[in-house]
Amino acid sequence: MRFRAKIVDLACLNHFSRVINTIAKLAKTCALRLTVSKLYFILSDKVANGGVSMWCELCQGNFFDEFQMEGVAAEHNEIYLELVPENLSRALKTAQNAKAVKIKLTNKHCPCLRVAVELPSLSSSSRMVTHDIPVGVIPRRLWNDFREPSVPDFDVSIYLPVLKTMKSVLERMKNLSNSIVIEANSSGEMNLKIETDLVSVTTHFKDLGNPPWASEDGCQSSAQSRDLESMAEARIDIKKLLQLLAGQQVNPTKALCNIVSKRIVHFILLHEDVSLQYFIPALA
Amino acid sequence: MPLSARPPGSGEPYVLSASLDNARHLSSLLRAVHFQDHATCFATANGLKVTVEDAKCIQANAFIQAEIFQEFAVQEESVTFRINLSVLLDCLTIFGTSALPGTPTALRMCYRGYSYPLMLFLEEGGVVTVCKINTQEPDELLDFDFCSTNVVNKVILQSEGLREAFAELDMTSEVLQITMSPDKPYFRLSTFGNAGSAHLDYPRDSDLMEAFHCNQTQTNRYKISLLKPSTKALALSCKVSIRTDAQGFLSLQYMIRNEDGQICFVEYYCCPDEDITEAEL
C-alpha cells in the first residue's frame, strides 16, 4: 500500500481545502477511499450517524499535480482509510499560502497521513510544517460497507432554492422545532414546514424547476407518471439539513434533492470538480 | 377554549389587520424589549404597543404607531393578547436578520380575535412564509402611574454618550445608582462591584445633554440585572429621556429612528431597589 500526492497550484490547494472543510462539517469520522483516478469521502448510514450517509467524489486530476497510489493488492487497487476530516482541515489551514503541499501515507508507529506543507520564507530554504494525521486502515473485508449508494426510486426530484434563503429560514425554524417536513412536487414547488404546539411555519418556494432524469428502462417512471401537483414529503431532523447547507462554503453549480415520501431525502450538490451526495432518512 | 363565535363586525373577519413593507420596522423595535419570552400586544387605532415585564419591577413598552404601517386596521376599540415574543421574533426574521437595503421583507399580520392564533405572512424575493402563532389570555400589566406631573427630575441625553457606559456597566454590581441633582454632580451613574465603585458623571453643560430639568437632588438604586436589557433599546436610539418621580420610579424613554427615518419610541419603567431619596453625594 502506497500513497503520495502533491499539490503545487494555489487555486487547487484552496479548492481542496474548501472541500475538506465542508466534509469536516458533515462528519466527525469518515472513510477516505483512494483509487487511481478518484478520491471519495464516505459516511455510511450507521445508527451512530443518525442514519445519515454521505458520498463525496473528487477527480484527483483536478486537484493534484502528482498522484501515486498503489492499493492493497493488484486486483483491488484501492486504499480505504478511516480518518477525522477535521484533522485534515486543520492541517490544510496552515497551507493557505503554501508553495506546495505533499500528502503521504506513512506507517512509522501507526498509520498516518503525513501532510507536509512547504511555506515561503525570506531565507533561501523554505519552511516546512508537517502534520501527522492518524488514520485507520480499513480492511478489505469491510469495503462492502462503503459502496456507492444508488439513487433511490424517488417520488419527486426538484432543484433546491437559493441556498442562502434556505439557510436563513432553516436557522429560524431550528429555534422553533426539532424536525421539519420537506415537501415538493413535480411543478417546481417546495414547502418547508414546521408545526409545534406553539407555532406553525410554512415557507413556500416556487418555480424551482425539476431536473430531467433520463428514464432507464422505466425505472423512474413512477416519478413521471405521478400527478405533477401532488406532493412528496418527508419529515427530517432540521439540524442535519442545516449541517449540510451550512457546510457549503461555495455555492454549488447544481443543487437538487430527491424525495422518497416518508422514507428518505437524497441531496445532490454539484460543484465543478466535486460531487456531494447526502442522504437524510425520514423520522419515524 | 374558544368563546362562542363573535359575529365579525362589518363583514371583516380580522379584528386586527396590518401591512408593513419592511418587517424590520417592527422586528428591530421588538428586539429592544425582548428580555422575556412572553409579551402582551395591545392594538388600538393609534397603533401597536408591545409590553414585556419581569419580576413585577420592570416594564418595557415598544410603540409602533399606525403611521409606520402601510395599512393598520383595528375593528374593536382595542385588541389585546399575550404571545411568545421569542417565537414572534423568529417568525418576523425568518428570512434572516442581515440588513440588506435592497430586499426588505414585506409583512402582513392578521388576528381574528380571542383564542385565534396570530397569522403572519412574510414575503421576500418571491418566497412566502406563513406563520400561525398561538395566543394566550393577556396578563394583567403593571401600572407605574408615571405621569409628567409627578416627574421630579428629567434629563435628555444623546444616546451615543450613554451607549459605551451601559455596554460596560460593571455587572458584578447588584445595583445601578442614578443621581440627579440641580447641583454637582448633576447626573451620575454609579456601580459598586467586586473591583470597587465606579462613577460616571455627565455635567449639565455637556454637549451630550440636550435638556436638563433637575429640581431636587435624588439618588436611587435599581437592580442592574433588570436594567441591563435596556441597553438594546439604547443601542437603537438617538436620544433618551431619563425621568424619576417622587417615589424614585425610573422612566427611560428612547427615541428610535428607523431605516426610513420614521420615529418610534421604546420606554422602560423600573422600580427603585431601596428608598434613598435624601441628598447622598
Side-chain angles (χ1 to χ4, degrees), chain A residues 168 171-173 175-176 199 201, chain B residues 23-39 50 52 83-97 107 118 120 122 131 133 232:
Chain A
S168 301
E171 276 288 346
R172 292 282 170 272
M173 287 183 166
N175 296 338
L176 303 170
V199 63
V201 181
Chain B
R24 267 199 301 274
H25 289 342
L26 179 58
S27 60
S28 54
L29 280 177
L30 293 185
R31 266 208 239 112
V33 301
H34 181 214
F35 55 87
Q36 286 286 291
D37 272 343
H38 286 97
V50 178
V52 178
I83 197 166
N84 186 314
L85 185 54
S86 310
V87 170
L88 176 57
L89 275 169
D90 276 328
C91 291
L92 289 173
T93 56
I94 195 84
F95 292 113
T97 48
L107 165 72
L118 178 68
L120 302 177
L122 296 122
C131 309
I133 309 174
K232 279 192 265 203

Side-chain angles (χ1 to χ4, degrees), chain B residues 14 30 46 52 64 68 77 113 127 130 150-151 168 190 199 241 243 252-253 256 273:
Chain B
Y14 300 114
L30 293 185
N46 292 332
V52 178
I64 308 98
I68 303 286
E77 227 183 274
V127 182
V130 181
N150 289 342
V151 171
E168 292 176 356
S190 310
H199 305 282
S241 112
R243 302 178 300 166
L252 302 165
Q253 287 182 318
I256 296 172
D273 199 39

